[in-house]
Amino acid sequence: MSLRKAVRKRSNWYIYMLTFLITFTILSFVVYHIWDLLFPTGGSQAMGGSRDYRPDASYNSTALFMLSESRGGIPDYYMLINYRPRDEAIVIVPLRESLFVTLASERGTLTDFYRSRGSEGVNRAVTSLLDIDIDFYIKFDKDSFIGFFDLVGFTPVNIPFALYEGEEIKFFPGSYEFRGADLYDYITFPDYDQGEDYRYMLHGLCISNFINRNSRNLSVTQLQGMFNRILNTTDTNLEFADFTRNQVAYLYTTQNSREIADYYIPSGSTDQFGQFIISDTAIETIWSRFAIEREEE
């Protein structure tokens, strides 16, 4: 009798446990599939991964990028990059170092403003000239540029004709995927024999290609690593709080947006002193490309 009772008890225990596991599995399956309906503001939406989530205009930003050869050197190249995650748009606007600006009682080129006021001065000068808000600036030198581009990935480049340095061919025609050092040498090549407009077109094209090639399916860790590289190796007024505040928009972009970068080369004229005077039409086009609305006077 005792033997049969023991067997019966083990059998009941097994049935109870099996019933519990089956019930738990079914409940877990149901909760998993209705979680977003029960809690629509949490989970994947907070991380920018929900298809229903789109960042609003508060995440829009414009940055001024500068590039010099040495860490403390005067920049040779300037560029505005406007980021609008809701519109799935990044617009790149290369600016000439000879761009002429009047700011209060001071007049001069971007190079002049950098000499007298540094990165902050150039930031204020461009803001005043174009009548746009620039949220932050980043100044790369050769080493930090190469390091950052090597960290992120390759840049697709199509070279239409050979580029000579003296009698030696520095770049052969063809399609390439450049690492940081080759890209730096290419965009700073001293003479393309095509005029200055060609140089700035090339800059816009290379950077938009770089963004479009490397902006998809990045993890939080990768984005954070890129941000930290900028903070630790460049002259910038960015802070890590800027990353945490905008992380949801960055994740939305990397998970949902394709081929979002494009460029615009401002028109204008060069005066007798070599200063570039940007046209009113170019300024209005920048406003339009940046989706900046102006009230009619």
Side-chain angles (χ1 to χ4, degrees):
M1 295 292 293
S2 60
L3 179 60
R4 286 198 297 270
K5 288 181 180 179
V7 170
R8 185 178 298 114
K9 288 181 180 179
R10 285 198 297 270
S11 178
N12 290 341
W13 174 87
Y14 178 82
I15 292 172
Y16 294 150
M17 179 58 69
L18 182 61
T19 302
F20 172 78
L21 290 174
I22 293 173
T23 303
F24 178 78
T25 301
I26 294 173
L27 287 174
S28 298
F29 181 81
V30 171
V31 170
Y32 175 81
H33 282 83
I34 68 172
W35 184 266
D36 288 339
L37 296 177
L38 295 174
F39 305 102
T41 60
S44 61
Q45 179 173 333
M47 295 301 291
S50 171
R51 292 183 179 180
D52 296 329
Y53 171 81
R54 292 184 69 190
D56 59 33
S58 66
Y59 291 102
N60 294 355
S61 63
T62 300
L64 173 65
F65 287 80
M66 296 168 274
L67 176 61
S68 63
E69 183 174 5
S70 61
R71 186 171 180 83
I74 297 171
D76 299 299
Y77 308 104
Y78 300 83
M79 178 178 290
L80 286 177
I81 299 184
N82 175 256
Y83 170 57
R84 302 193 313 281
R86 184 176 182 83
D87 298 335
E88 300 190 11
I90 293 177
V91 180
I92 299 159
V93 179
L95 301 173
R96 301 179 186 229
E97 76 279 10
S98 60
L99 181 64
F100 183 76
V101 180
T102 298
L103 178 61
S105 60
E106 189 171 353
R107 300 159 59 110
T109 65
L110 296 186
T111 297
D112 296 328
F113 276 93
Y114 187 88
R115 285 198 179 103
S116 63
R117 301 190 181 199
S119 297
E120 288 280 3
V122 175
N123 197 78
R124 289 195 295 270
V126 175
T127 296
S128 174
L129 174 67
L130 301 181
D131 192 19
I132 62 175
D133 294 326
I134 299 176
D135 300 280
F136 53 87
Y137 64 81
I138 299 171
K139 177 177 175 282
F140 286 95
D141 57 60
K142 179 178 181 179
D143 290 339
S144 62
F145 178 94
I146 292 173
F148 179 79
F149 278 74
D150 281 346
L151 172 70
V152 177
F154 295 96
T155 303
V157 173
N158 182 52
I159 301 178
F161 47 82
L163 296 176
Y164 288 84
E165 201 168 63
E167 299 296 324
E168 178 186 357
I169 296 180
K170 182 70 174 180
F171 292 98
F172 287 88
S175 296
Y176 301 90
E177 291 207 330
F178 279 163
R179 300 291 290 177
D182 288 328
L183 180 64
Y184 179 87
D185 289 342
Y186 183 57
I187 67 173
T188 62
F189 193 75
D191 188 6
Y192 297 104
D193 293 328
Q194 302 292 318
E196 283 301 288
D197 284 342
Y198 181 83
R199 175 181 299 280
Y200 296 107
M201 180 278 294
L202 184 148
H203 285 188
L205 179 61
C206 285
I207 300 305
S208 60
N209 284 349
F210 169 77
I211 293 172
N212 290 331
R213 170 72 160 74
N214 298 288
S215 61
R216 290 285 296 167
N217 300 320
L218 299 174
S219 67
V220 175
T221 301
Q222 289 173 304
L223 290 168
Q224 183 174 320
M226 292 158 57
F227 205 88
N228 280 329
R229 177 62 68 99
I230 289 174
L231 291 179
N232 294 328
T233 64
T234 71
D235 171 23
T236 182
N237 60 351
L238 272 172
E239 299 178 354
F240 192 77
D242 296 307
F243 173 77
T244 56
R245 180 168 53 251
N246 298 308
Q247 175 179 306
V248 62
Y250 301 149
L251 285 171
Y252 174 86
T253 296
T254 190
Q255 293 170 11
N256 297 282
S257 304
R258 296 178 181 274
E259 301 292 322
I260 61 173
D262 197 5
Y263 63 93
Y264 168 69
I265 310 301
S267 60
S269 59
T270 302
D271 66 15
Q272 58 182 329
F273 305 106
Q275 300 170 139
F276 182 75
I277 314 299
I278 192 171
S279 68
D280 291 339
T281 300
I283 294 176
E284 292 174 359
T285 301
I286 291 173
W287 294 344
S288 176
R289 296 295 298 271
F290 287 11
I292 297 172
E293 296 183 359
R294 290 286 186 263
E295 294 183 1
E296 294 184 4
E297 297 181 358

